[in-house]
Amino acid sequence: MMTNKETVNLIDESGILAISTRLQRLSEQFRKDGLLLYKAFGIEFEPKWFPVIYTLQFKSPLSILELAAEIGYAHPSTISLLKELEQQKLISSLRDKTDERKRLIVLTGKAWELIEQMKPVWDVMVKVLSEITENENNLLKALNESEEQLRKMGFLERAMVLVEQIKAGKVETRAEPLEMEVQLVETAAGLKTSGAILKSVLRETAGDKLFAVSADVQSSHFLATVQDLPAGTCSYHKTKTGNKIEGLAILEQYRGMGVGKALIKAITAAQAEVFYVNSPLALVSWFEKTGFSKKGKELEKSGGLYYKMVFNH
């Protein structure tokens, strides 16, 4: 039986849409483990300081702008890092002889001593990271290629060009027909996916108590996928007056694509018995379009107004 406490990692299943989130997650894991590895060697060093320290050991002195360009950080982010490193007495600054307004950044003696201590750690890191990334789809190679693409044209610039092309009718928003599938959930993984979708959607809707899945009954759950990605879920369970439909939840990015109608069609086609739903007022019109009709007067439950609606076979 599905409960709202069960979760699944929908981020991993969302594909390219979550690339920024997944890179951030990967970076955070490397950062935390790197910090612990330094400590294991008796070294107090924050991995976020690495780009500045590593760069300055080969190119020094550098102005703040030159350093920001070398490490690929925005100017404010670079200044923030430099303030921390200055507090740690790992960098110092000199006045440029040709321009007294310009600060030139150099490593301190303490930093050079620290670098010598860290070199064995870096050797370990290189071996471990190579083991992690040197696979069929080499991560480092892919990063180099992606960064080269961004140098040619940035993400935002590409997106705005595409939006203008779509507005002008030069590009179809969906070049291929959607591959949609609805199946009865029969595995624990499927139940977790359905539960995660329902939990996510109910957090943003006011009619959560009407659409929540009954926790004390045995329900049948259906899962809809679009292009093999989880898109929506719906359930039903037997009652004295028929089969009650509940737990209807469609992820925001898949709304308006017919996912809900496909779920209702799959459920009501399962058997020729009575199906009904307690529909919030806002969804009465939608349920009517999917084959339901109102039965009786407007009702109230848990502070929400609804109609009992019965499916017409």
Side-chain angles (χ1 to χ4, degrees), residues 14-293:
S14 65
I16 195 70
L17 186 63
I19 186 171
S20 177
T21 300
R22 296 189 68 180
L23 285 172
Q24 183 177 3
R25 187 174 67 190
L26 186 65
S27 174
E28 181 62 16
Q29 184 64 58
F30 285 156
R31 189 200 68 78
K32 289 193 293 187
D33 288 347
L35 180 62
L36 292 174
L37 183 59
Y38 282 125
K39 287 185 176 180
F41 277 76
I43 299 170
E44 292 296 325
F45 186 78
E46 285 280 350
K48 64 180 177 179
W49 299 337
F50 172 80
V52 173
I53 297 296
Y54 189 82
T55 299
L56 287 176
Q57 72 169 319
F58 296 107
K59 293 186 176 182
S60 179
L62 288 175
S63 69
I64 296 176
L65 288 176
E66 289 170 336
L67 183 57
E70 282 287 340
I71 66 177
Y73 283 15
H75 190 256
S77 299
T78 304
I79 291 177
S80 178
L81 271 178
L82 293 178
K83 285 181 179 178
E84 289 188 35
L85 289 166
E86 201 164 27
Q87 289 174 353
Q88 297 295 320
K89 295 182 171 50
L90 294 174
I91 63 166
S92 61
S93 60
L94 307 171
R95 293 290 181 185
D96 189 331
K97 293 179 180 179
T98 60
D99 185 352
E100 292 192 358
R101 296 169 299 176
K102 186 187 294 185
R103 288 177 61 201
L104 297 177
I105 309 301
V106 296
L107 295 174
T108 63
K110 179 182 176 181
W112 284 108
E113 291 177 6
L114 188 60
I115 288 171
E116 290 304 312
Q117 296 176 44
M118 291 192 293
K119 283 181 178 178
V121 186
W122 292 347
D123 289 340
V124 172
M125 287 181 171
V126 168
K127 289 183 174 63
V128 174
L129 290 171
S130 296
E131 182 181 321
I132 293 171
T133 60
E134 286 180 1
N135 41 47
E136 184 179 353
N137 301 302
N138 186 281
L139 177 60
L140 187 57
K141 181 180 178 182
L143 282 173
N144 289 336
E145 292 171 349
S146 296
E147 287 178 339
E148 178 60 28
Q149 289 288 349
L150 287 172
R151 278 190 284 270
K152 293 176 181 177
M153 182 182 289
F155 172 81
L156 179 60
E157 187 179 357
R158 290 171 186 265
M160 296 310 296
V161 168
L162 181 58
V163 168
E164 291 303 316
Q165 289 175 342
I166 291 172
K167 288 180 179 179
K170 295 179 181 180
V171 176
E172 293 290 337
T173 55
R174 291 194 177 274
E176 300 177 0
L178 288 175
E179 293 181 11
M180 188 183 303
E181 187 176 9
V182 178
Q183 290 185 328
L184 175 66
V185 176
E186 298 180 299
T187 66
L191 287 175
K192 287 183 179 181
T193 301
S194 293
I197 293 174
L198 183 62
K199 185 176 181 179
S200 173
V201 172
L202 291 188
R203 277 200 297 262
E204 64 183 63
T205 60
D208 57 339
K209 293 182 180 178
L210 288 174
F211 277 124
V213 173
S214 302
D216 56 346
V217 297
Q218 184 66 44
S219 298
S220 296
H221 308 287
F222 287 75
L223 178 66
T225 58
V226 174
Q227 310 292 78
D228 292 326
L229 295 174
T233 185
C234 194
S235 310
Y236 78 88
H237 73 268
K238 292 182 180 296
T239 70
K240 293 180 180 179
T241 57
N243 295 302
K244 181 183 178 183
I245 292 177
E246 56 191 1
L248 176 62
I250 314 298
L251 293 175
E252 185 177 4
Q253 63 267 39
Y254 296 109
R255 293 171 194 168
M257 298 181 183
V259 175
K261 291 181 181 179
L263 282 162
I264 295 297
K265 182 179 179 180
I267 289 176
T268 54
Q271 49 188 300
E273 298 181 12
V274 174
F275 284 90
Y276 71 94
V277 63
N278 291 335
S279 170
L281 300 187
L283 292 178
V284 167
S285 176
W286 184 87
F287 276 110
E288 286 177 334
K289 292 177 182 178
T290 59
F292 287 80
S293 58

